[in-house]
Amino acid sequence: MKQNNLPNVVFVGQPNCGKSTLFNSIAGLKAETSNFPGTSVSHTYSRVNVFGTLFNIVDLPGTYSLCPQDPAERVALGHILSEKPDVIVNVIDASTLSRELRLTLELLELGYPMVVVLNMMDVAERKGIRIDSERLSAILGVPMVETVALHGRGIKEFLDKVVELFNNPVRPLHLAWSQEVEDKISELVAAVPPELSAPPGRRFTSIKLLETGGFYCSRFLAEFEPELDAALKRISRELSERRGMPVYEVIAAERHHLAMKIFENTTSILCGKHLTLENRIDSVLMHPILGYPILLLVFLSAFFLIFKVGSPIESLFMNPLEKLRLLTASSLGQGFAFHTLDGLLQGIGGGVVVVLPYFIPLVFLMSILDDAGYTARAGFLLDVFMHRMGLHGKSVAPFILGFGCNVPAIMATRILESNRDRIITSLLVPFIPCSARTTIILALVAFYLGPFFAFGFYAINIAVVGLLGFLISRFFKGPSPGLILEIPELRRPVFISIFKKVWLQLSVFIKFAWPLLIAGSIVLSLLTWAGATPLINKILSPLVAYALGLPQELGVTLVFGFLRRELSLVMMLQALGIDYQNLLTVITKEQILVFTVFVNFFIPCFSTLAVLWKEIGKKWALVSAGLSVGVAVTLSLLVRLVF
Amino acid sequence: MNIIPLIEAPFNVPLKIIEITGGVGVRRRLLTMGFNRGDVLELDSRAILNGPLIVRNVTHGTRTAIGRGVAFRILVFRADEAK
């Protein structure tokens, strides 16, 4: 993973500690910050020049401990063990110091040179928490710096400490636990053969073996290291018998007690000062009754705003795009060259028409809500409804992202702990109308049938997602593990952090989704060039003409539309040989509705399918495609019957 | 001392964790997120239709939304009555 021989500086911290904000302020436009625990799912790299020394800096996903519980946390530990960092930067939310110290103690066990950053000092001060950081630094035996990363406070001092530590690396000492536990650990250390030890050393290896019960390697141990296996089992049993709790709880309790002792020795809390305004706002936002109309209002106004912003911008692009097409046609004729170029241009243009007017404003608003801490609150409010779908509140964040583009939404399912939840959420995300589908719904349903139909369309769409979730989760054994979701403090969103988030989402779209859109668009153009369209239309006519009651010419648009979904409207007009204003002269409103329903629910676009394949495997990607065909056919038939 | 699951506890009174029961996965997760024996919690609010609870961890100064199933497994007693 390391691309060069530069020294490695690795950022580690618990979710919501402001680690990514600190990282971003040093790295430039490369990482995402999030309020939703652990959304920076893949680790982000950057090369930075700090006072003349080049460093490779790495932002790991937020992790509560080094015993990973979800895929994102596994990335964190895996990276530390494989890369042997030169400096570890442990970022701490100073306002919840006592809890965050536990991870710090775990990191000390690794024995790598480490800087501790007490971040969010402003929040801690407002909460009345006073930390004697010099004393804390002395107890932990590592350099320490106070920062407010959001406002750039303390960044220079922080960089100074990193360079200083890199030039004079000091390996921290681990802090001792209670004697009886230490004795047992020493016994186990003696039984660990040096060649079997993880890079940080035998003590670290022994502790991890105890904590995981040798879970990851129990078979290996039993077969090849019977002595170590026997020692591990005996010591685990003795410890858990003596303390009356499983051995991982013994270790956790040791760290907890040590952390609490250090916390009490270095921190004083001035009473009477509370975040009263924030608390009052919060009690309304998360009110069991008031919370819901507010939630509805927030999302409705977001969509209304996007509608108001998006449509005018989109119409600015539509005409030049059509003119460009006519121009290429007049200069190149109707041959292979024209169709290839036309496919390319339409693919690029289609992307622009979706990205600028809808995708960017949507992601922008979602990032504001996320940065302010609202996504976690929405997760709390919607947990009840998610439960009916066999999921819980944590899945709300990917769903919300899905309204922008399904691709990053499916990537965001990595924050879910259980594989079961990941698969169900990933299967449902493609049914969330993304910005490309929003354009179609707005252009066809809202324009020809009125805004109420468009609202109805959305409402029914969300109901369909709910129903599908309810049905799909029946096929998965075992219940969802249940909601444990940290609610971060409400924060005022900061523009630069939002800008970076939009940039990250946009870069996923540009790097992953767009090239596939363009490729699909070219394939479709070449189909026309090869004269395959009438044939395909004929083959599809039983479905298109008889079952759905649509003009036969729409066959290719409907079925291969997923190759170029964002241009379904343009393709429809081309297939029918009519312009937008005169659409009603060739098809009825009922047909428009059937068409929109089918296009909206049919096979997730090419890029979504590809990311599903990559994230949850071939089998589930195919299940998703099959599911969407079924849903699209059923729903459009239903619509035809009802109207 | 009256031991009750968190789900049945009253709002806005200090509650001390006495034990966390249930599967290893949930217990480990709660431990790492700062729910230890002896920590003091307070219930803030609850969503409609038996939804999740908002739990304030007074010991660590954090707030967490906890689903009903999980809240059932955290056993607490009223710290103000224990005296």
Side-chain angles (χ1 to χ4, degrees):
Chain A
M1 261 181 256
K2 198 171 172 178
Q3 296 125 333
N4 45 50
N5 291 321
L6 296 177
N8 254 331
V9 176
V10 178
F11 285 58
V12 192
Q14 297 195 343
N16 298 314
C17 65
K19 176 176 58 69
S20 298
T21 312
L22 181 68
F23 180 86
N24 283 337
S25 62
I26 299 160
L29 292 176
K30 297 245 167 106
E32 187 186 15
T33 57
S34 180
N35 265 352
F36 207 86
T39 311
S40 43
V41 275
S42 51
H43 44 295
T44 317
Y45 300 88
S46 189
R47 259 197 209 188
V48 289
N49 185 334
V50 185
F51 311 133
T53 314
L54 265 181
F55 287 99
N56 211 8
I57 61 171
V58 181
D59 184 25
L60 294 182
T63 177
Y64 286 107
S65 78
L66 293 183
C67 266
Q69 321 250 345
D70 65 35
E73 291 188 352
R74 225 162 286 151
V75 174
L77 182 63
H79 184 93
I80 295 175
L81 290 183
S82 65
E83 295 294 310
K84 304 188 189 70
D86 296 281
V87 175
I88 289 182
V89 174
N90 174 217
V91 186
I92 286 180
D93 171 359
S95 70
T96 57
L97 180 67
S98 55
R99 189 190 64 176
E100 315 249 335
L101 272 177
R102 288 250 305 265
L103 178 65
T104 308
L105 293 176
E106 251 187 294
L107 289 167
L108 283 179
E109 288 157 23
L110 286 164
Y112 292 118
M114 183 160 97
V115 175
V116 171
V117 178
L118 287 176
N119 192 32
M120 297 164 76
M121 284 302 289
D122 54 338
V123 182
E125 275 160 27
R126 274 190 293 152
K127 276 188 176 174
I129 300 171
R130 289 285 150 82
I131 302 167
D132 183 346
S133 62
E134 271 174 33
R135 188 163 176 175
L136 184 56
S137 166
I139 294 176
L140 295 174
V142 293
M144 189 164 294
V145 58
E146 298 181 8
T147 62
V148 182
L150 209 53
H151 303 302
R153 220 169 83 189
I155 304 289
K156 195 189 162 293
E157 292 85 337
F158 161 65
L159 292 174
D160 278 336
K161 294 260 161 111
V162 171
V163 174
E164 200 183 302
L165 188 64
F166 173 68
N167 291 328
N168 309 296
V170 182
R171 292 189 153 250
L173 300 169
H174 66 81
L175 301 173
W177 296 340
S178 66
Q179 198 53 48
E180 64 173 357
V181 177
E182 283 293 338
D183 289 346
K184 289 290 159 198
I185 289 174
S186 307
E187 269 181 55
L188 190 58
V189 167
V192 175
E195 70 276 9
L196 218 66
S197 162
R202 286 201 281 176
R203 181 185 150 88
F204 176 82
T205 312
S206 306
I207 294 171
K208 284 294 154 216
L209 278 174
L210 284 172
E211 271 187 301
T212 59
F215 177 75
Y216 293 108
C217 51
S218 58
R219 265 212 198 140
F220 169 83
L221 283 184
E223 198 165 327
F224 297 102
E225 294 290 338
E227 278 171 38
L228 176 57
D229 190 51
L232 176 63
K233 285 191 176 126
R234 175 178 59 81
I235 292 166
S236 299
R237 198 184 52 240
E238 285 171 2
L239 271 175
S240 79
E241 270 169 13
R242 197 164 304 175
R243 292 287 178 94
M245 54 176 94
V247 69
Y248 66 85
E249 275 186 39
V250 176
I251 307 271
E254 287 294 323
R255 281 199 199 104
H256 175 63
H257 289 310
L258 193 53
M260 288 311 286
K261 208 168 86 189
I262 295 172
F263 175 74
E264 278 154 18
N265 278 328
T266 54
T267 311
S268 53
I269 295 171
L270 310 173
C271 286
K273 261 191 152 183
H274 288 291
L275 302 163
T276 42
L277 182 65
E278 275 95 334
N279 285 348
R280 233 174 278 161
I281 296 174
D282 234 3
S283 62
V284 178
L285 286 183
M286 294 197 287
H287 191 273
I289 294 156
L290 279 178
Y292 293 94
I294 294 174
L295 183 76
L296 198 66
L297 204 70
V298 166
F299 283 104
L300 279 183
S301 44
F303 283 112
F304 182 73
L305 209 67
I306 285 152
F307 176 55
K308 280 285 169 208
V309 173
S311 294
I313 302 179
E314 189 191 1
S315 57
L316 284 181
F317 284 98
M318 280 317 227
N319 271 337
L321 213 63
E322 189 55 30
K323 276 192 190 131
L324 192 64
R325 188 183 145 78
L326 292 175
L327 194 72
T328 44
S330 66
S331 53
L332 289 174
Q334 288 291 327
F336 177 77
F338 164 71
H339 282 286
T340 313
L341 189 65
D342 187 44
L344 183 72
L345 285 177
Q346 291 213 39
I348 296 171
V352 173
V353 163
V354 171
V355 165
L356 279 178
Y358 299 101
F359 183 73
I360 292 180
L362 241 165
V363 173
F364 185 75
L365 285 176
M366 297 307 167
S367 306
I368 292 182
L369 291 179
D370 197 27
D371 256 32
Y374 195 69
T375 316
R377 285 156 176 84
F380 160 72
L381 289 170
L382 295 175
D383 182 66
V384 172
F385 303 102
M386 303 301 276
H387 260 282
R388 304 288 184 272
M389 302 162 50
L391 292 170
H392 60 68
K394 249 186 162 178
S395 297
V396 167
F399 283 141
I400 290 176
L401 278 178
F403 284 99
C405 175
N406 290 174
V407 172
I410 288 166
M411 291 181 174
T413 59
R414 291 183 203 161
I415 57 166
L416 302 171
E417 305 95 3
S418 94
N419 207 29
R420 167 197 179 278
D421 288 6
R422 271 197 83 191
I423 290 171
I424 299 177
T425 311
S426 302
L427 286 177
L428 292 177
V429 164
F431 291 97
I432 301 277
C434 64
S435 42
R437 278 173 273 180
T438 304
T439 62
I440 303 169
I441 296 169
L442 292 180
L444 289 176
V445 179
F447 189 78
Y448 285 110
L449 293 113
F452 285 108
F453 270 88
F455 274 127
F457 196 101
Y458 268 105
I460 290 172
N461 194 331
I462 288 165
V464 167
V465 172
L467 185 68
L468 279 174
F470 177 79
L471 294 175
I472 292 173
S473 60
R474 305 289 114 172
F475 289 95
F476 286 84
K477 282 190 192 118
S480 171
L483 179 74
I484 310 174
L485 173 66
E486 188 162 359
I487 307 286
E489 296 289 337
L490 281 175
R491 278 193 285 234
R492 191 173 303 143
V494 176
F495 178 75
I496 192 75
S497 135
I498 291 173
F499 178 72
K500 279 167 184 158
K501 222 173 214 174
V502 174
W503 175 254
L504 185 95
Q505 298 280 330
L506 190 63
S507 64
V508 171
F509 182 87
I510 291 174
K511 276 189 224 143
F512 196 86
W514 210 343
L516 289 172
L517 288 181
I518 293 171
S521 174
I522 294 176
V523 169
L524 211 54
S525 275
L526 292 180
L527 275 183
T528 320
W529 170 73
T533 314
L535 184 70
I536 296 174
N537 282 343
K538 191 143 192 135
I539 296 171
L540 293 174
S541 76
L543 171 72
V544 178
Y546 298 109
L548 301 178
L550 294 172
Q552 189 188 315
E553 295 80 31
L554 288 178
V556 169
T557 314
L558 273 188
V559 176
F560 290 93
F562 74 93
L563 291 175
R564 205 197 259 170
R565 167 161 290 139
E566 73 293 350
L567 290 180
S568 293
L569 174 65
V570 178
M571 283 163 54
M572 175 200 199
L573 298 176
Q574 279 167 10
L576 293 172
I578 194 93
D579 58 52
Y580 185 47
Q581 275 70 27
N582 297 319
L583 189 60
L584 283 183
T585 58
V586 285
I587 63 173
T588 62
K589 285 183 179 177
E590 175 207 304
Q591 286 175 316
I592 289 181
L593 200 59
V594 173
F595 176 84
T596 318
V597 167
F598 193 89
V599 166
N600 188 48
F601 288 103
F602 194 55
I603 303 191
C605 76
F606 207 27
S607 345
T608 307
L609 213 55
V611 79
L612 276 174
W613 195 301
K614 203 176 106 199
E615 291 286 318
I616 56 170
K618 185 170 90 180
K619 181 179 136 201
W620 292 113
L622 293 177
V623 167
S624 166
L627 200 64
S628 47
V629 174
V631 171
V633 173
T634 317
L635 279 179
S636 36
L637 283 177
L638 265 178
V639 169
R640 198 185 166 195
L641 284 177
V642 171
F643 285 90
Chain B
M1 200 168 67
N2 196 9
I3 297 169
I4 43 170
L6 188 61
I7 191 92
E8 288 165 16
F11 286 79
N12 293 317
V13 296
L15 306 158
K16 213 167 202 171
I17 302 180
I18 188 147
E19 202 180 344
I20 297 172
T21 63
V24 176
V26 175
R27 280 161 81 169
R28 276 181 187 245
R29 183 131 209 112
L30 284 170
L31 267 177
T32 56
M33 288 182 71
F35 289 83
N36 307 275
R37 282 179 213 208
D39 282 359
V40 178
L41 310 177
E42 269 181 33
L43 291 185
D44 252 15
S45 65
R46 172 187 292 178
I48 49 164
L49 305 167
N50 286 326
L53 298 161
I54 294 283
V55 181
R56 223 162 347 118
N57 187 323
V58 182
T59 309
H60 297 302
T62 56
R63 243 178 342 161
T64 315
I66 289 187
R68 202 182 141 70
V70 181
F72 204 75
R73 292 171 179 151
I74 303 175
L75 301 180
V76 296
F77 64 90
R78 280 188 71 156
D80 53 343
E81 282 178 358
K83 287 165 195 167

